[in-house]
């Protein structure tokens, strides 16, 4: 609550220059004359007013795309289903779906990172009579690494070093450092969950099937279906069982649940759809949206005027490092971008 209040206070200072309730669906190059070969001098930002449905067009020489991540719902689960909820909507959706806190709901949580662990832990407190299953692809929950040397990868000055590396070195670095941010859990929470499960073992029996709360390791959701009683059947297979001679995963069980909470992270590719009309202007012949060190999209030489451009924020992990999607470098990154737009600096290669 305190952090939310702080963010609301910060946002209030910009009320007069922010248009809320706008769903931006396209950013297109602006042409004074489409037959001319002159460089693009502005972009047209198209949005839909979510209250009235009106389509609004705005022109801008400088466009910054900082839309954050879109909840990732892995296949075969559907992206839109009333009882399959992404963790991003957990706090608002679950109280409506599970209104009786004393009822013995059956709940599945999918994911192995911090959000999945928090949801799994919180459900047991909010719904003490519930039965919950945490489905993880790996062999166990793993702790996040926030040791001091590793934590230096989030320092603003490390972005320069990372950006100058070759694509293969960057990819290797991200893979090595994933234990700081992806598919890992804070140690304190791991210990709390372990303590709860150990208590279950003492209270019920050593037969894990009888526990109300369980972690199902090596588990992959391979299918689902709506049941006539309004519940959901989840088909679970064992990722680690390769006993089949053809190497196929072995189906383990089917869970019948009231709600599925999916905590499998976010996709950060919304800019690709928004910028589709500009793809033919890109410097990359394969149509990949590459950015310079200052986060400006690289368009082909002469296609966009020097006093116009598009900047991407929070979706450049592959070129700027793991800190790009986090708060670690937010202020510094914003300052660099503003300097790039208004300070007359050139876009480095």
């Amino acid at each position: 609550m305190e952090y939310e209040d702080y963010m609301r206070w910060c946002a209030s200072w910009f009320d007069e220059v922010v248009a809320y309730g706008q769903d931006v669906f396209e950013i297109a190059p602006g042409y004074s004359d489409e037959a001319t070969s002159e460089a693009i001098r502005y972009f047209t930002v198209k949005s839909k007013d979510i209250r009235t449905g009106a389509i609004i067009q705005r022109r801008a020489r400088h466009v910054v795309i900082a839309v954050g991540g879109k909840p990732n719902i892995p296949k075969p689960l559907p992206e839109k289903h009333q009882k399959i909820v992404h963790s991003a909507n957990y706090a608002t959706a679950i109280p409506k779906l599970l209104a009786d806190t004393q009822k013995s709901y059956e709940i599945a949580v999918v994911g192995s990172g911090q959000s999945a662990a928090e949801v799994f832990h919180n459900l047991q407190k909010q719904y003490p009579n519930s039965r919950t299953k945490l489905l993880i692809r790996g062999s166990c929950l793993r702790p996040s690494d926030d040791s001091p040397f590793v934590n230096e990868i989030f320092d603003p000055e490390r972005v320069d070093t990372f950006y100058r590396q070759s694509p293969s070195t960057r990819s290797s670095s991200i893979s090595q450092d994933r234990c700081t941010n992806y598919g890992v859990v804070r140690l304190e929470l791991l210990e709390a969950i372990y303590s709860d499960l150990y208590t279950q073992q003492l209270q019920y029996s050593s037969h894990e099937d009888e526990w109300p709360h369980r972690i199902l390791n090596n588990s992959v959701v391979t299918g689902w279906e709506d049941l006539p009683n309004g519940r959901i059947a989840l088909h679970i297979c064992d990722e680690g069982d390769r006993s089949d001679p053809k190497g196929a995963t072995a189906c383990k069980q089917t869970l019948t649940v009231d709600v599925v909470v999916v905590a499998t992270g976010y996709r950060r590719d919304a800019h690709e759809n928004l910028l589709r009309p500009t793809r033919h202007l890109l410097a990359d012949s394969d149509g990949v949206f590459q950015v310079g060190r200052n986060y400006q999209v690289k368009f082909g030489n002469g296609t966009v005027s020097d006093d116009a451009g598009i900047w991407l924020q929070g979706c450049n992990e592959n070129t700027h490092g793991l800190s790009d999607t986090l708060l670690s470098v937010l202020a510094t990154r914003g300052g660099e971008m503003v300097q790039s737009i208004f300070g007359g600096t050139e876009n480095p290669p």
Side-chain angles (χ1 to χ4, degrees):
M1 288 296 293
E2 182 180 356
Y3 182 72
E4 181 181 344
D5 289 342
Y6 169 70
M7 295 300 288
R8 289 181 180 276
W9 173 79
C10 290
S12 68
W13 288 87
F14 303 94
D15 281 346
E16 63 182 29
V17 292
V18 176
Y20 291 103
Q22 297 293 311
D23 181 13
V24 176
F25 60 88
E26 184 180 274
I27 300 171
Y31 295 93
S32 55
D33 180 358
E34 294 196 19
T36 186
S37 58
E38 291 183 0
I40 304 302
R41 299 188 60 84
Y42 67 90
F43 297 90
T44 301
V45 180
K46 300 179 182 180
S47 66
K48 180 179 180 179
D49 190 306
I50 61 175
R51 294 179 297 271
T52 66
I55 302 299
I56 302 173
Q57 297 189 31
R58 297 175 173 86
R59 290 184 176 183
R61 291 199 307 272
H62 308 105
V63 178
V64 178
I65 301 178
V67 295
K70 178 182 178 182
N72 177 48
I73 306 291
K75 294 180 179 180
L77 296 174
E79 291 192 6
K80 294 183 179 181
H81 190 289
Q82 183 182 9
K83 295 185 178 181
I84 299 178
V85 179
H86 192 272
S87 56
N89 303 314
Y90 172 76
T92 54
I94 293 300
K96 298 175 183 177
L97 293 173
L98 308 178
D100 186 353
T101 58
Q102 299 305 310
K103 192 172 180 179
S104 55
Y105 295 111
E106 298 273 352
I107 310 167
V109 182
V110 180
S112 59
Q114 182 70 22
S115 294
E118 287 183 5
V119 168
F120 179 63
H121 188 60
N122 181 259
L123 284 169
Q124 301 169 33
K125 311 306 176 186
Q126 297 296 322
Y127 301 93
N129 298 317
S130 66
R131 297 180 65 85
T132 60
K133 305 289 189 302
L134 176 60
L135 313 180
I136 68 174
R137 183 183 291 270
S139 60
C140 63
L141 291 175
R142 301 182 185 279
S144 57
D145 187 348
D146 61 352
S147 55
F149 287 109
V150 172
N151 238 11
E152 287 185 349
I153 68 172
F154 300 112
D155 291 346
E157 55 268 23
R158 292 290 289 270
V159 176
D160 286 328
T161 302
F162 188 89
Y163 186 84
R164 288 195 296 266
Q165 294 174 341
S166 67
S168 61
T169 302
R170 292 177 193 159
S171 178
S172 177
S173 296
I174 290 176
S175 179
Q176 293 176 25
D177 296 332
R178 286 183 68 85
C179 59
T180 62
N181 193 48
Y182 292 111
V184 289
V185 185
R186 298 284 295 180
L187 183 58
E188 312 89 84
L189 180 56
L190 281 181
E191 292 174 337
I193 293 174
Y194 188 91
S195 177
D196 289 344
L197 296 182
Y198 181 75
T199 301
Q200 282 187 142
Q201 183 177 354
L202 299 178
Q203 183 177 356
Y204 294 92
S205 71
S206 59
H207 299 292
E208 196 172 345
D209 290 345
E210 299 179 12
W211 298 0
H213 310 295
R214 298 176 58 201
I215 298 177
L216 304 184
N217 302 326
N218 302 313
S219 296
V220 179
V221 178
T222 58
W224 70 280
E225 56 186 300
D226 285 315
L227 299 177
N229 60 4
R231 306 180 83 193
I232 297 173
L234 280 184
H235 303 301
I236 312 299
C237 287
D238 193 329
E239 175 77 355
D241 188 345
R242 298 292 178 177
S243 58
D244 186 295
K246 295 182 180 180
T249 55
C251 283
K252 183 160 52 176
Q253 61 181 301
T254 295
L255 301 179
T256 300
V257 297
D258 296 290
V259 168
V260 180
V261 181
V262 183
T264 50
Y266 298 83
R267 296 174 53 186
R268 301 184 183 276
D269 56 0
H271 63 283
E272 295 188 7
N273 282 330
L274 293 176
L275 293 173
R276 188 172 298 169
T278 70
R279 194 177 293 273
H280 66 286
L281 301 172
L282 294 175
D284 185 90
S285 59
D286 294 327
V288 177
F289 286 93
Q290 298 180 348
V291 295
R293 170 61 183 86
N294 63 358
Y295 307 96
Q296 186 175 4
V297 173
K298 292 183 176 182
F299 291 112
N301 290 333
T303 59
V304 176
S305 173
D306 290 340
D307 64 348
I310 295 175
W311 286 256
L312 304 181
Q313 298 279 275
C315 55
N316 304 307
E317 182 179 274
N318 289 337
T319 54
H320 289 67
L322 282 171
S323 62
D324 191 71
T325 63
L326 308 175
L327 295 176
S328 311
V329 299
L330 187 61
T332 303
R333 184 180 70 194
E336 291 173 348
M337 183 192 64
V338 170
Q339 178 66 22
S340 170
I341 296 174
F342 300 106
T345 57
E346 295 183 357
N347 186 24

